[in-house]
């Protein structure tokens, strides 16, 4: 069976323990490769390599750093098909999604920061003829980058690319549930000739590798994307060490649909914002609030369209809903559907596991599920489910839907559908989320700040915000006379 390796100091290495973790193909429910079960020895080796490499990478001209990132982007583009197949196999997502979103976006991340760093500038503050202050933005040091399983290479590269561009070196840990494209990225970095130690990728569990990265004195900043509970654990370790922290956490995003929306556009986009990637995107709109006058029509149309979504093998072109990422995640989602029933919800469609015949019969497939009849403050509507499950609820007044929308502990993203620009701006202003999409969803400009409020996170990724995170501003005050 294929054994993945760690990428430490430019080399592909076995874990010190020589132990491996099973890596599942969720579309078949079988183990298809083995992941290093790394521990603190591997993580410490990687941190030492990154610390040494920082001495030169941090003073390497930005044009040179840029050239490496652009080379990596180019190789990802060349290998797009193979990477997409690997991502789909590892995660269960439809191949066409990996081909059109995940892998192109991973290349774009390297391209964006490979060029972005060339345009990154700092401020100067003149005190007329007394002094001039200028700000140096210097790379902070070894960055710990920890990412989740839902958009594996896409989110991994969203951290690594700005860190490397800014002159930090990196010790990165992909999710142990979807490690394959991170492993392939290490091969790509070797091919691109990235100097040794600049990027290190250590595979394994969060409580071993992740914890060593987070608690190590030589890692002064942590960029983490994952669950809110893990984020809280990381913050509790890193904050007393005064580390810089960027936390991108969970969500329970509202999709607010007013009667005056462009109905057809809203409906087709709501299909995607509800069920793309089996609903396993932190930005999916899992709570759908619909103005009462169009609630009945929306319900009928939305249910009819959802029932037509093909649940099937990820590599099949017809598939719209692939496998969810793991058996335990599937069971968690099913338990939330049971909870919704106990809370008085009606399952309008879906609600069950789906069997896909043949070699896929042991895969982790779920029917896309729509639930109605729940109160906005029940657990089903407050807790993150992170699967192909949405609730729909009618509302009459704007104030009422704002109460519903802002009622959760989360504040990542929201969607607003209306043709009334004044209402759209007012609602956007009053939503407690880091991102608001008006009449669209997942439309991304990589220059914009990305992140959440409340329990959805701390800090922002994207654009120069990420370069600000991976650099430390230093003010130099020069007296003129
Ligand atoms: P998770 O928190 O279980 O794991 C994320 C990563 O953290 C993994 O690599 C894991 O191994 C590691 N980890 C676990 N325990 C750790 C510890 N004690 N110390 C250090 N690292 C540790 O999350 P997940 O299940 O992989 O991902 C799903 C979650 O991610 C959802 O809540 C989703 O909303 C969130 N997410 C958020 C965003 C965002 O941008 N806000 C994007 C994608 C996913």
């Amino acid at each position: 069976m294929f054994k993945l390796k760690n990428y430490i100091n430019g080399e592909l290495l076995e874990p010190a323990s020589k132990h491996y973790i099973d890596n599942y193909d969720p579309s078949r429910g079988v183990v298809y490769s083995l992941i290093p079960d790394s521990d603190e020895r591997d993580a410490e080796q990687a941190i030492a390599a990154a610390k040494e490499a920082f001495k030169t990478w941090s003073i390497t001209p930005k044009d040179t750093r840029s050239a490496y990132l652009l080379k990596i982007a180019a190789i990802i583009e060349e290998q797009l098909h193979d990477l997409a197949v690997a991502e789909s196999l590892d995660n269960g997502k439809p191949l066409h999604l990996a081909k059109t979103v995940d892998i192109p976006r991973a290349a774009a991340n390297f391209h964006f920061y490979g060029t972005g760093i060339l345009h990154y500038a700092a401020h100067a503050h003149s005190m007329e003829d007394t002094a001039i202050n200028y700000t140096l933005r210097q790379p902070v040091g070894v960055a710990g980058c920890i990412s989740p399983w839902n958009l594996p290479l896409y989110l991994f590269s969203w951290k690594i690319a700005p860190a490397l561009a800014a002159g930090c070196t990196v010790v990165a840990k992909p999710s142990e549930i979807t490690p394959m494209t991170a492993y392939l990225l290490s091969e790509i970095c070797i091919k691109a000739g990235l100097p040794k130690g600049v990027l290190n990728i250590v595979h394994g569990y969060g409580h071993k590798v992740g914890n060593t990265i987070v608690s190590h004195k030589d890692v002064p900043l942590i960029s983490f994307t994952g669950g809110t509970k893990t984020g809280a654990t990381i913050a509790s370790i890193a904050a007393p060490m005064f580390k810089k922290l960027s936390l991108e956490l969970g969500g329970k995003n509202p999709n607010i649909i007013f009667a005056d929306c462009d109905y057809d556009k809203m409906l087709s986009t709501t299909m995607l914002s509800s069920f793309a990637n089996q609903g396993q995107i932190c930005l999916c709109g899992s709570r759908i609030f619909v103005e009462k006058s169009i609630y009945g029509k929306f319900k009928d149309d939305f249910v009819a369209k959802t029932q037509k979504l093909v649940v099937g093998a990820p590599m099949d072109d017809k598939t719209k809903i692939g496998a969810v990422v793991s058996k335990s995640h599937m069971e968690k989602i099913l338990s939330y559907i049971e909870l919704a029933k106990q809370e008085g919800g009606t399952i309008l469609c879906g609600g069950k596991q789906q069997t896909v015949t043949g070699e896929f019969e042991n895969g982790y497939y779920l029917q896309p599920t729509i639930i109605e009849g729940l109160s906005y403050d029940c657990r089903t509507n407050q807790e993150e489910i992170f699967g192909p499950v949405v609730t729909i609820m009618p509302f009459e007044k704007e104030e009422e839907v704002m109460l519903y929308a802002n009622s959760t502990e989360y504040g990542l993203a929201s969607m607003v559908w209306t043709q009334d620009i004044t209402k759209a701006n007012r609602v956007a202003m009053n939503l407690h989320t880091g991102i608001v999409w008006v009449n669209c969803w997942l439309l991304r400009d990589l220059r914009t700040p990305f992140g959440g409020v409340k329990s959805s996170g701390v800090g922002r990724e994207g654009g120069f915000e990420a370069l600000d995170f991976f650099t430390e501003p230093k003010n130099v005050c020069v007296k003129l006379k």
Side-chain angles (χ1 to χ4, degrees):
M1 185 143 335
F2 182 68
K3 284 182 177 165
L4 281 72
K5 288 191 169 139
N6 290 326
Y7 173 51
I8 299 176
N9 208 21
E11 288 183 72
L12 295 175
L13 301 177
E14 283 196 68
S17 68
K18 306 273 187 280
H19 293 153
Y20 287 82
I21 306 163
D22 288 342
N23 188 26
Y24 281 81
D25 160 5
S27 74
R28 295 179 180 80
V30 296
V31 176
Y32 83 104
S33 60
L34 296 169
I35 316 158
D37 181 6
S38 311
D39 57 29
E40 66 282 354
R41 289 170 289 178
D42 309 281
E44 278 172 7
Q45 194 186 347
I47 293 165
K51 191 179 174 190
E52 185 59 30
F54 183 72
K55 290 177 190 161
T56 44
W57 185 252
S58 58
I59 51 167
T60 296
K62 58 173 99 43
D63 309 56
T64 309
R65 297 201 302 259
S66 163
Y68 282 117
L69 294 192
L70 296 180
K71 184 90 201 279
I72 293 170
I75 303 175
I76 293 175
E77 274 162 10
E78 270 164 40
Q79 299 185 4
L80 191 146
H81 178 79
D82 291 351
L83 286 164
V85 169
E87 200 71 293
S88 171
L89 189 65
D90 213 28
N91 173 279
K93 67 179 65 209
L95 177 60
H96 67 84
L97 191 67
K99 262 190 191 166
T100 54
V101 178
D102 291 74
I103 307 305
R105 174 55 195 278
N109 289 342
F110 280 103
H111 196 269
F112 179 80
Y113 282 106
T115 52
I117 192 61
L118 303 176
H119 304 270
Y120 186 52
H123 293 288
H125 299 89
S126 166
M127 298 168 75
E128 289 72 45
D129 60 355
T130 312
I132 176 94
N133 294 273
Y134 62 87
T135 308
L136 283 177
R137 295 231 56 132
Q138 294 172 303
V140 181
V142 177
C145 297
I146 302 176
S147 60
W149 50 256
N150 62 324
L151 302 164
L153 191 60
Y154 173 151
L155 292 177
F156 200 53
S157 53
W158 184 229
K159 299 181 178 309
I160 290 171
L164 297 183
C168 289
T169 53
V170 172
V171 177
K173 194 198 94 59
S175 169
E176 65 277 19
I177 302 169
T178 53
M180 188 55 86
T181 48
Y183 168 74
L184 297 174
L185 178 66
S186 47
E187 290 187 338
I188 289 169
C189 291
I190 292 170
K191 200 168 169 198
L194 190 70
K196 64 178 189 173
V198 167
L199 171 63
N200 304 271
I201 299 174
V202 188
H203 295 273
Y205 290 119
H207 66 273
K208 290 187 184 174
V209 178
N211 182 60
T212 306
I213 295 171
V214 169
S215 56
H216 202 286
K217 66 176 179 25
D218 291 334
V219 182
L221 72 172
I222 304 290
S223 173
F224 169 80
T225 300
T228 292
K229 223 170 138 207
T230 317
T233 305
I234 289 174
S236 73
I237 298 166
M241 298 175 81
F242 307 113
K243 297 192 179 205
K244 270 185 115 173
L245 270 180
S246 168
L247 302 173
E248 300 293 341
L249 310 176
K252 187 77 180 173
N253 309 309
N255 179 3
I256 303 171
I257 300 168
F258 287 99
D260 63 356
C261 66
D262 179 328
Y263 187 83
D264 292 340
K265 272 193 199 147
M266 175 281 296
L267 188 61
S268 56
T269 308
T270 293
M271 293 302 295
L272 294 173
S273 66
S274 303
F275 301 121
N277 204 37
Q278 296 71 249
Q280 302 167 134
I281 300 180
C282 54
L283 306 163
C284 279
S286 54
R287 296 179 295 147
I288 305 176
F289 303 115
V290 188
E291 197 164 353
K292 203 168 183 181
S293 58
I294 60 164
Y295 183 80
K297 175 173 168 51
F298 171 80
K299 174 174 143 178
D300 293 347
D301 293 344
F302 186 46
V303 168
K305 265 182 165 303
T306 301
Q307 281 170 331
K308 286 197 193 119
L309 290 175
V310 177
V311 180
M315 306 284 170
D316 189 332
D317 281 347
K318 293 191 292 299
T319 294
K320 293 282 184 246
I321 308 278
V324 298
V325 78
S326 67
K327 188 161 192 273
S328 62
H329 192 55
M330 178 176 72
E331 283 160 1
K332 176 191 148 183
I333 298 167
L334 285 168
S335 77
Y336 268 104
I337 295 171
E338 279 314 305
L339 173 72
K341 287 184 203 159
Q342 286 161 25
E343 290 185 319
T346 305
I347 311 295
L348 297 177
C349 68
K352 294 199 180 75
Q353 205 179 331
Q354 169 111 3
T355 305
V356 177
T357 50
E359 59 180 311
F360 302 102
E361 68 182 0
N362 294 320
Y364 316 133
Y365 298 92
L366 287 174
Q367 298 168 345
T369 301
I370 304 173
I371 307 169
E372 77 164 352
L374 290 168
S375 70
Y376 76 91
D377 57 354
C378 68
R379 279 186 57 207
T380 310
N381 271 328
Q382 293 288 317
E383 297 177 15
E384 187 184 46
I385 301 174
F386 216 53
V389 179
V390 296
T391 62
I392 59 172
M393 274 182 71
F395 69 90
E396 279 181 84
K397 293 211 160 53
E398 188 181 314
E399 308 84 74
E400 181 191 358
V401 77
M402 295 311 291
L403 168 74
Y404 298 167
N406 288 331
S407 67
T408 74
E409 66 162 311
Y410 297 106
L412 186 53
S414 45
M415 287 128 263
V416 184
W417 290 92
T418 174
Q419 301 273 55
D420 176 342
I421 188 72
T422 307
K423 183 160 61 183
N425 287 326
R426 186 174 59 234
V427 170
M429 181 86 84
N430 291 328
L431 280 165
H432 301 164
T433 59
I435 301 158
V436 182
W437 275 294
V438 177
N439 298 331
C440 58
W441 177 68
L442 212 63
L443 192 52
R444 292 280 295 125
D445 179 329
L446 301 189
R447 295 170 300 176
T448 59
F450 179 92
V453 299
K454 302 194 281 184
S455 298
S456 288
V458 176
R460 291 293 178 272
E461 298 186 321
F464 290 149
E465 305 261 351
L467 296 177
D468 285 349
F469 175 72
F470 289 109
T471 57
E472 195 76 81
K474 179 193 285 173
N475 184 63
V476 180
C477 178
V478 183
K479 192 153 189 301
L480 294 178
K481 288 186 212 151

